[in-house]
Amino acid sequence: MDSFSRGSDNVIGSYPVSVQELLVIDDLLSALVGIDGRYISIKRVRGRADHVICQIDPSMDLALQELTQRIFPLCQNYVLINYFVESKSHFKSGLVNHAFAAALRALLLDYQAMVAQLEHQFRLGRLSVQALWFFCQPMMGSFNALSIVVEKASSNNFCGATTLNLLQSQAKAMAGDNAVRSLLEKMTQRASSAYLAILERWVYEGVIDDPYGEFFIAENKLLQKESLTQDYDAKYWVQRYSLKDGIPSFLVSVAGIILTTGKYLNVMRECGHNVQVPLSDNSKLMSFESNHHYLECIKTAYDFASSELLNLITHKYDLVGKLRALKRYLLLDQVAHVGDYLVHFMDISRDELAKRPDEISVEKLQSLLDLALRSTAAASDPCHEELTCCMERVPLLKRLNTLTDLDSTESMEDNKPSLDPDIQSELLNITGVETFCLGYKVPWPLSLIIPRKALTKYQLIFRLLFHCKHVNRQLCMAWQVHQGFRAINILGKPILRSSILCRSMLKFINSLLHYLTFEVLEPNWHSMHDRLQTAKSVDEVIQFHDYFLKKCLKECLLLLPKVFKKIEKLKLICLQYAAAIQLLVPSIYSIDATADVATTSIGPGRSKHRRLRYQNQQLKSAAENKLICDSIMRFEKEFNEELQSLAPILSSSSQAEPYLTHLAQCILGLGSDI
């Protein structure tokens, strides 16, 4: 231990007791403010700058020693507190510690004034050791409690919320001593003033003014709002502003509300919509009194920010209008009367979509899409300008495997080995029809509700609907071939069976489309729309929209691997059948070219007659072709077997997933007893 004592030539015990008392009082008055005396030394513990030990000349009268040693804890606590004040007033200590140190300094000034008054009484000869002990007693408890706080704060390097929590916990621990508890509560209020100033700027302006990193909300400036439209796993809304550890205990219950309030204000500022919560004298966050007025101020700020942002997104940025546009174009809305654009697009882009994905020109597809939109009823819809074309590199089934965050009732990965060989072969020979999808340009701040992840889910549903439309078109073309047979009265058994099979396939795909659009998408969208009318905040809007997409994905079978693979297998059989039937009359697509030559060499009447006769010959030969007849029988067998195998799968899953009952009723014609 290092000694700071000045020492003395004579020991105190050599003096009479009355003189010893005067000498001790003089030294005690110095020790009370951390100064060595002649017979009382203050020695600092080696390695602990804030810890000291008071020692007295052992030759002193024993009674005086007993009274003097009672006062020593106050001297030691003063040194400890004073050291804390000096060390925590530095720049790096933080605003809360600065405010706490300032409050302690004010307390020490009062204490030093008390010591000065005692010294004045001593000079007048009116102060004894017993009286000194009497006057020091009121400060003993306060300084002891404060020394515990500053010792813990120093040893653990507390700052910000941890310092406030320490003060509060110590105040609660001193509930039996009203004076000490009142002092600690006052210190807590003084120390929290700087923290409440940071909080006030956040909940009233959405600004983090936190130079020392003490606030319990962290800002990640690396996350930009542009990531919402680019990154599938964008964490902007969740992690741009987030809660840190060390929340003040008096704010724990409203920490989430505080975080959300500032986030809402930030969104409006990012939109150029400068808004500030209206302030009044009663809305100032000056302290956290027991009447919880500060909680009411925070709740008022939250209500204002929430309603302002919700109105901004709903009215200025037309949230519902954008959601309707997504429903219209990506969910193929059957009510909006703009579905003809898709028929026209599929007609003019047929050759391009027949290529492999890496051979397709996205720019050409975009121009064809623009042409289809401008030449149909969709031209009057301003939202069509936000549509874009994009090509995936993998088919829908494989794409679902890569999206591991989807809440599938079964693991797609676990079902990979059971992939049907025909589907595996199809995956290796995919065309643009299987990988084409539409995109939509979502502006800020609507990208909060419709981020990249949500748009991807819309695109998954669109790809399913688009492919179903493609299958339907191919089957319709096969049906037209059958009408050719009917026109020349060729209805042998194979052709008749093929005609029945074609009708069954058309019924299946049309029923599937009806289920997806009218049984799933329409009611779920209207349910979401009704919920949005009751939303009180943007977070509720996000929640309702995410729930809508999750429910649609699930009921559209995209999260049910077993059922979805059966549906894909059935669609593949339909496509293979339609392609085989269209090959029955290979010249039906080239007849127009030969007709032009015939028209120039002979008259138009004879050309038409020759073309019809040639076509009839091709149809007769097709009807009599054994290979084609066997193919029709094989397609019929495969289709019926797959359709029948779907029934038990739907039946076993319908109790857990009731919507499968509607699916069974639509495509299998089964009743409610499934």
Side-chain angles (χ1 to χ4, degrees), residues 25-73:
I25 294 173
D26 187 42
D27 279 8
L28 279 175
L29 290 172
S30 298
L32 284 172
V33 290
I35 301 174
D36 283 330
R38 286 174 295 176
Y39 303 102
I40 296 177
S41 62
I42 299 176
K43 296 184 178 181
R44 186 157 297 169
V45 178
R46 190 178 300 276
R48 296 293 301 274
D50 55 344
H51 279 64
V52 296
I53 295 177
C54 294
Q55 293 183 337
I56 194 169
D57 189 331
S59 64
M60 182 185 297
D61 179 75
L62 294 179
L64 286 176
Q65 284 190 45
E66 175 66 23
L67 283 173
T68 302
Q69 288 173 352
R70 291 182 185 180
I71 302 174
F72 280 172

Side-chain angles (χ1 to χ4, degrees), residues 338-352:
V338 296
D340 54 343
Y341 90 92
L342 188 63
V343 176
H344 186 34
F345 173 74
M346 295 178 79
D347 286 337
I348 61 180
S349 64
R350 180 179 60 185
D351 294 339
E352 192 69 20

Side-chain angles (χ1 to χ4, degrees), residues 338-371:
V338 296
D340 54 343
Y341 90 92
L342 188 63
V343 176
H344 186 34
F345 173 74
M346 295 178 79
D347 286 337
I348 61 180
S349 64
R350 180 179 60 185
D351 294 339
E352 192 69 20
L353 291 177
K355 300 177 183 177
R356 292 183 58 80
D358 54 355
E359 299 173 351
I360 293 176
S361 169
V362 179
E363 292 76 12
K364 183 175 181 180
L365 278 181
Q366 184 65 50
S367 63
L368 293 174
L369 176 65
D370 293 339
L371 177 62

Side-chain angles (χ1 to χ4, degrees), residues 55-114:
Q55 293 183 337
I56 194 169
D57 189 331
S59 64
M60 182 185 297
D61 179 75
L62 294 179
L64 286 176
Q65 284 190 45
E66 175 66 23
L67 283 173
T68 302
Q69 288 173 352
R70 291 182 185 180
I71 302 174
F72 280 172
L74 182 60
C75 303
Q76 294 165 0
N77 290 335
Y78 171 84
V79 173
L80 180 62
I81 295 170
N82 188 62
Y83 182 83
F84 179 85
V85 170
E86 297 298 329
S87 62
K88 296 303 179 182
S89 298
H90 296 164
F91 176 80
K92 62 181 180 180
S93 300
L95 295 176
V96 172
N97 281 337
H98 289 171
F100 182 33
L104 289 174
R105 181 179 283 109
L107 178 67
L108 292 181
L109 287 175
D110 291 340
Y111 168 80
Q112 290 167 357
M114 181 200 75

Side-chain angles (χ1 to χ4, degrees), residues 439-587:
Y440 194 84
K441 299 175 185 176
V442 183
W444 169 265
L446 295 183
S447 53
L448 288 173
I449 290 89
I450 316 168
R452 180 64 195 161
K453 179 178 287 189
L455 190 60
T456 298
K457 294 176 181 179
Y458 275 105
Q459 290 174 327
L460 292 174
I461 299 172
F462 171 81
R463 290 180 66 181
L464 173 61
L465 296 173
F466 185 79
H467 194 254
C468 288
K469 288 281 188 180
H470 170 69
V471 174
N472 177 269
R473 285 168 61 84
Q474 295 302 310
L475 289 174
C476 287
M477 294 173 68
W479 178 253
Q480 291 176 357
V481 173
H482 287 90
Q483 295 303 101
F485 285 110
R486 182 183 296 275
I488 59 173
N489 199 22
I490 299 178
L491 290 174
K493 184 176 180 181
I495 300 302
L496 182 60
R497 296 188 70 162
S498 177
S499 178
I500 295 173
L501 176 60
C502 189
R503 283 202 301 270
S504 298
M505 289 181 172
L506 276 170
K507 179 179 180 298
F508 160 74
I509 197 65
N510 285 331
S511 299
L512 178 61
L513 277 169
H514 173 85
Y515 165 77
L516 295 174
T517 53
F518 291 104
E519 298 287 339
V520 175
L521 299 178
E522 279 292 331
N524 281 326
W525 196 91
H526 284 290
S527 176
M528 177 193 68
H529 182 268
D530 292 341
R531 288 186 175 189
L532 291 181
Q533 308 307 311
T534 64
K536 296 291 189 290
S537 68
V538 169
D539 280 299
E540 284 190 9
V541 172
I542 294 173
Q543 179 185 347
F544 294 153
H545 184 243
D546 287 348
Y547 178 77
F548 159 74
L549 288 174
K550 178 181 176 181
K551 199 163 186 289
C552 287
L553 283 174
K554 191 173 184 180
E555 295 185 7
C556 285
L557 316 176
L558 294 172
L559 304 183
L560 298 174
K562 289 183 179 178
V563 178
F564 183 68
K565 287 174 183 176
K566 282 293 181 184
I567 296 295
E568 287 296 293
K569 175 63 176 176
L570 285 165
K571 290 197 295 177
L572 180 59
I573 294 173
C574 291
L575 286 175
Q576 292 172 343
Y577 165 79
I581 291 299
Q582 291 174 45
L583 289 174
L584 282 172
V585 190
S587 63

Side-chain angles (χ1 to χ4, degrees), residues 402-452:
T402 63
L403 300 178
T404 55
D405 67 304
L406 294 180
D407 186 18
S408 174
T409 56
E410 309 164 36
S411 173
M412 282 284 192
E413 296 291 332
D414 295 341
N415 285 274
K416 271 187 176 181
S418 63
L419 207 59
D420 190 277
D422 290 338
I423 295 181
Q424 287 181 334
S425 175
E426 184 71 12
L427 296 184
L428 298 175
N429 300 287
I430 59 173
T431 63
V433 173
E434 286 80 25
T435 59
F436 172 77
C437 67
L438 289 178
Y440 194 84
K441 299 175 185 176
V442 183
W444 169 265
L446 295 183
S447 53
L448 288 173
I449 290 89
I450 316 168
R452 180 64 195 161

